[in-house]
Amino acid sequence: LLPEPEAFGMHQNAAITSAQAETATLFRTILELLPRQAAGGGKSREELIYEEAESILKKVPKEFDMEEVKKKFPLRLDE
């Protein structure tokens, strides 16, 4: 569990900024690990990047249906 930015006296947008920085670092690392030139007949750099991005997206969980979650896990006992 990660504490919210407010716990450290930071604005709530700090979490967004942090997530954007982590994403940029992830993709920068992917780009650095890819070969600079594709061998003859191989995939282009852009194709490799696209495939890696698709692979990452497949691993990202789907968004929760918040209404369904609220029904299954009410915040109050009388709900």
Side-chain angles (χ1 to χ4, degrees):
L1 296 175
L2 298 173
E4 295 295 321
E6 291 88 358
F8 302 103
M10 296 168 32
H11 191 272
Q12 58 188 3
N13 286 347
I16 296 170
T17 303
S18 175
Q20 288 174 333
E22 287 179 27
T23 302
T25 300
L26 171 69
F27 283 107
R28 189 176 322 107
T29 302
I30 291 170
L31 290 173
E32 290 171 356
L33 293 174
L34 291 174
R36 296 285 178 216
Q37 296 179 357
K43 296 178 182 176
S44 72
R45 190 167 190 225
E46 287 75 19
E47 290 172 319
L48 292 171
I49 293 169
Y50 183 80
E51 286 178 3
E52 189 62 31
E54 287 230 325
S55 169
I56 291 169
L57 284 174
K58 287 179 184 175
K59 296 174 187 173
V60 174
K62 295 181 181 178
E63 289 186 36
F64 290 111
D65 178 356
M66 292 307 292
E67 292 303 317
E68 188 66 29
V69 171
K70 287 177 185 178
K71 288 177 187 175
K72 285 185 177 181
F73 305 101
L75 295 177
R76 296 183 313 195
L77 294 177
D78 61 340
E79 290 184 305

